[in-house]
Amino acid sequence: MSPKLPLSVLVVIHTLDLQVLLLERAQRPGYWQSVTGSLDWLEEPLEQAAAREVLEETGIDTADGRLARWNVANTFEIYGHWRHRFAPGVTHNTEHVFGLALRAPRPVTLAADEHMAFAWLPWQEAARRCFSWSNRDAIRMLGENAA
């Protein structure tokens, strides 16, 4: 298997009334997050990666809502327990933030190898539950910009 690229997307899936979908990681119980994933190849368009990851992790088709790039990118240190998935010496990842606005909560089909549970939560609660600061900040940005 090829090493993961240190370029990824974060997609905050939310409803018009600001319920946010969070997923609990299968290999890290208690770690809740939005949809995330690395680009499959260096030139993969970010929008394509975001739509692919949403479909793979939730079964939701982004065509059913409005996918928008937020023009926010976060660079952060990759947690040590996940570094083995990247090329030797890679320590940081750059994550591009998207939102997917849906009219209402949708049924979710989890990728069992990645996630074990999901929850639709009010944005404030979703932000508190996220283990990742970049995910938490993106959800806060969503809620604060809607106010």
Side-chain angles (χ1 to χ4, degrees), residues 36-114:
T36 63
S38 295
L39 275 62
D40 273 353
W41 68 92
L42 197 53
E43 287 82 28
E44 182 180 20
L46 294 171
E47 289 76 8
Q48 182 177 326
R52 175 181 50 75
E53 289 292 341
V54 168
L55 188 61
E56 287 175 5
E57 295 186 17
T58 69
I60 296 172
D61 186 338
T62 58
D64 295 340
R66 186 174 47 84
L67 181 66
R69 188 170 173 189
W70 289 2
N71 294 317
V72 173
N74 299 301
T75 299
F76 54 85
E77 189 171 353
I78 300 165
Y79 286 111
H81 55 266
W82 284 318
R83 281 199 194 151
H84 68 279
R85 301 187 297 176
F86 296 85
V90 173
T91 60
H92 287 76
N93 183 74
T94 299
E95 171 186 81
H96 297 270
V97 182
F98 287 79
L100 175 60
L102 302 171
R103 290 184 191 267
R106 306 290 296 256
V108 173
T109 303
L110 294 174
D113 59 327
E114 290 191 54

Side-chain angles (χ1 to χ4, degrees), residues 11-31:
V11 185
V12 177
I13 301 173
H14 63 91
T15 61
L16 299 179
D17 65 352
L18 300 184
Q19 293 180 65
V20 174
L21 175 64
L22 288 187
L23 310 170
E24 185 176 18
R25 294 191 67 93
Q27 296 180 348
R28 293 281 177 186
Y31 279 50

